Amino acid sequence: MVTTQPSYGSTASLWAGRLLGLGLLALAAVVAVVTIPELRSELAGEGTDGTLTISSCETHTKTHYGTRRRSTELQFSCTGSWAAQDGGRTYQDVTVGTSSRFEAGTKIPVVQVDDTFEQPQDRDPGKDAAILALCLSLVAFGGYCLLTGFGARNGPGFAASWQRLPAPTVTGPLVGGLFILGILAAVVCAFAL
C-alpha cells in the first residue's frame, strides 16, 4: 500500500509562511527589547522625583472612532520649569501630559526618567507587562508559522499545518499553551496591575 502526503501548495508558499513566522519572531524580539528596560524602570521606581512649575497649559482633542460612533477625548499638556527634589538639576520648557488644565504657577509632581518627564500616576507597569505577555503569544504564533509554513497565501490551512508540526503531540500543546498563556497574562496585566 502506497501512502502519499497531501499537497499543501507550492514550496514557495511554505517558505512565505516561514518568512512570516521569522518576521513575527523578529518583531516580538524588537518590542521586548524596547519594553523590558522601561518595565524594569517602572517596577523599580527609577527616575528622579521633581516638581514642575507650570507656565502654560494647552488643551487638545483626540478623536476615537468606534464601530458605531465617534467620541472625543480632551487631553492636556502643560509646560514649565522642572526642578529635582534633591535641589540638583533644573530644566526649562519641559512639557508633560496632564489629566487636567492647571493655572500658571501651579506646582505638580513630575518624574524624570532618562530624557522624558511624566507624572507619577502615568507610569503604568501593567501596560508594559501586557505588551511583554503579548510578545510571548507572538513568539508562539511566529514559531508555529516558522515550523509549518502557515500564514501564506495558498499555503496549508491551520488544521493541515498542525499535522505538519514536528512531534505534534509535544510541540502542538507547547505552542498552543504558550499562545494562550500570553493572551491570558496580557489580560491580567492590563487590568490587574
Side-chain angles (χ1 to χ4, degrees), residues 31-117:
V31 170
V33 164
V34 169
T35 306
I36 287 172
E38 188 166 327
L39 176 63
R40 196 175 355 197
S41 165
E42 290 170 348
L43 291 175
E46 291 178 1
T48 305
D49 292 331
T51 303
L52 180 71
T53 303
I54 295 173
S55 58
S56 66
C57 286
E58 294 181 10
T59 305
H60 310 278
T61 57
K62 182 175 182 182
T63 304
H64 301 280
Y65 295 97
T67 55
R68 298 180 187 239
R69 65 186 183 106
R70 181 182 77 164
S71 63
T72 303
E73 174 188 0
L74 280 178
Q75 296 182 332
F76 304 94
S77 61
C78 294
T79 304
S81 59
W82 181 86
Q85 277 185 350
D86 61 11
R89 294 170 285 188
T90 61
Y91 294 95
Q92 301 298 318
D93 297 323
V94 171
T95 302
V96 177
T98 59
S99 58
S100 61
R101 186 179 184 96
F102 294 98
E103 295 296 322
T106 304
K107 297 179 185 275
I108 59 171
V110 171
V111 177
Q112 178 195 18
V113 181
D114 297 326
D115 294 332
T116 63
F117 295 87

Side-chain angles (χ1 to χ4, degrees), residues 131-173:
I131 290 170
L132 284 178
L134 285 177
C135 284
L136 180 64
S137 291
L138 202 58
V139 164
F141 187 66
Y144 179 75
C145 293
L146 186 63
L147 291 171
T148 65
F150 176 76
R153 185 175 225 180
N154 299 325
F158 186 79
S161 295
W162 194 264
Q163 298 304 317
R164 294 177 60 87
L165 278 170
T169 56
V170 176
T171 55

